[in-house]
Amino acid sequence: MLKIFSPKLIVALVCSIGLFFQLLSPLPTAEASSTYTYYVKTTANLYSSTSSSKKKLTTVPINTKLTTSTSKSSKMYKVTYKGKKGYVYSSNLSKTKVKLSFFVKKGAGLYSNTTSKKVKLDALPVNTKVITTSVKTDKMYKVTYGSKTGYVYASNLSTKKVSKVPFGQTVRIGNFTVKVNNPVNQYGSSYLYDDANYISLYVVIKNYGPTQIPGFFSDLYINDKFKDALDLQFYSAKYNELDTIVELAKGKTLSGYLTYQVSPGKKLELVYRDFDSFDSMTFFGTN
């Protein structure tokens, strides 16, 4: 006798057969693509391809953040930089940012941010060393000065220390900051010089490190002619009523006047030397 199966039974039977064969079939392998993050450690070039005929598209500066899905073992990684797709050599990349060292080359402000509403937090003396992990082509670098973190203009920084600054600049020399104000011309007789022209330069030296002796002013050049500054000067210090040969404690300031017998209208260069290392800084200007 011929049996007729109901449509519902047929559908259930087909589904069961399909499930049975799915269980017998091997499971497909899912290849999830991973994304890796790198930073440029040495100035890198972005190329059009990985072939020998590749063309350079642009340059990618140090500390630029790049992401890629290219295998870690590849010689070149596919990335996107400023809307351009291309390839960079993996040897130019690192998992961490590079610390870049600079020195302040002229009086620089430390600002709260990089916007037009930024506030000046502090002033950085010339030759202050700063370290940043900002992108090398940024207009402003993020740095820490003392206990404050902020931003300085890259145009105020240099990879080398400055050796000469004009009168009125504050300079960092070792653990000290030194400032020599513009000269004030005096005329006629005084308790220092009789019937002569002389100048007075107000000096401020502050110690930011351990107790030690600050530097001293050793050489004076008048119109490029050397004069022995120690023979021409009278120094009146205001730190415990002692002269410059004194141990200056951390946070303390030594200030007073350097007075020289000099005719008006002369070009002056005054050399300050660090007491321990004898690193020098020349202050210059016209009286």
Side-chain angles (χ1 to χ4, degrees), residues 71-115:
S71 170
K72 292 182 179 180
S73 59
S74 299
K75 187 177 180 180
M76 299 186 75
Y77 293 162
K78 185 176 183 180
V79 300
T80 300
Y81 173 64
K82 289 188 175 182
K84 295 182 179 181
K85 295 182 183 295
Y87 297 83
V88 294
Y89 281 100
S90 59
S91 57
N92 290 332
L93 306 180
S94 171
K95 292 183 179 179
T96 57
K97 291 183 178 181
V98 177
K99 291 183 178 179
L100 303 173
S101 297
F102 295 97
F103 296 96
V104 176
K105 67 180 180 181
K106 59 182 179 179
L110 181 71
Y111 296 96
S112 56
N113 54 61
T114 60
T115 70

Side-chain angles (χ1 to χ4, degrees), residues 28-287:
T29 302
E31 295 184 1
S33 60
S34 298
T35 301
Y36 308 103
T37 299
Y38 297 98
Y39 298 93
V40 176
K41 67 178 180 180
T42 55
T43 303
N45 293 324
L46 183 71
Y47 294 99
S48 58
S49 68
T50 60
S51 68
S52 58
S53 59
K54 59 184 175 291
K55 295 181 180 180
K56 177 183 172 181
L57 302 177
T58 189
T59 300
V60 188
I62 292 173
N63 282 338
T64 299
K65 181 180 179 180
L66 298 173
T67 57
T68 183
S69 297
T70 305
S71 170
K72 292 182 179 180
S73 59
S74 299
K75 187 177 180 180
M76 299 186 75
Y77 293 162
K78 185 176 183 180
V79 300
T80 300
Y81 173 64
K82 289 188 175 182
K84 295 182 179 181
K85 295 182 183 295
Y87 297 83
V88 294
Y89 281 100
S90 59
S91 57
N92 290 332
L93 306 180
S94 171
K95 292 183 179 179
T96 57
K97 291 183 178 181
V98 177
K99 291 183 178 179
L100 303 173
S101 297
F102 295 97
F103 296 96
V104 176
K105 67 180 180 181
K106 59 182 179 179
L110 181 71
Y111 296 96
S112 56
N113 54 61
T114 60
T115 70
S116 59
K117 296 182 179 180
K118 58 184 175 289
V119 176
K120 188 174 180 179
L121 304 176
D122 209 335
L124 278 66
V126 173
N127 280 347
T128 298
K129 184 178 181 179
V130 294
I131 296 175
T132 183
T133 56
S134 297
V135 177
K136 197 172 183 180
T137 54
D138 284 352
K139 186 177 181 180
M140 298 185 77
Y141 291 159
K142 186 176 183 179
V143 303
T144 297
Y145 175 62
S147 60
K148 299 174 183 177
T149 297
Y151 297 82
V152 297
Y153 282 99
S155 57
N156 290 332
L157 305 178
S158 172
T159 55
K160 297 180 180 179
K161 284 187 175 182
V162 176
S163 61
K164 294 179 65 174
V165 296
F167 292 133
Q169 287 268 20
T170 300
V171 182
R172 186 67 180 254
I173 304 176
N175 291 321
F176 297 93
T177 57
V178 183
K179 181 180 180 182
V180 179
N181 283 7
N182 288 305
V184 177
N185 283 276
Q186 308 289 338
Y187 306 103
S189 62
S190 72
Y191 66 97
L192 298 176
Y193 302 108
D194 293 330
D195 300 321
N197 294 297
Y198 60 96
I199 61 170
S200 293
L201 303 105
Y202 188 66
V203 176
V204 180
I205 303 174
K206 185 173 182 179
N207 186 13
Y208 289 85
T211 300
Q212 63 184 105
I213 298 175
F216 58 96
F217 295 92
S218 60
D219 301 329
L220 177 66
Y221 293 86
I222 304 174
N223 282 0
D224 298 327
K225 293 181 179 180
F226 169 74
K227 299 290 183 181
D228 187 346
L230 297 178
D231 291 338
L232 291 174
Q233 79 178 52
F234 176 87
Y235 192 93
S236 175
K238 292 183 179 178
Y239 176 69
N240 292 345
E241 299 181 353
L242 299 172
D243 59 15
T244 54
I245 308 302
V246 62
E247 287 193 341
L248 196 61
K250 183 176 182 179
K252 295 295 184 179
T253 299
L254 177 70
S255 61
Y257 289 89
L258 286 172
T259 304
Y260 299 96
Q261 184 178 359
V262 180
S263 299
K266 302 293 184 180
K267 293 181 180 179
L268 305 175
E269 291 191 356
L270 184 62
V271 180
Y272 175 89
R273 298 187 186 279
D274 180 81
F275 195 85
D276 293 323
S277 65
F278 282 87
D279 289 337
S280 65
M281 169 61 60
T282 301
F283 295 87
F284 68 92
T286 303
N287 73 308

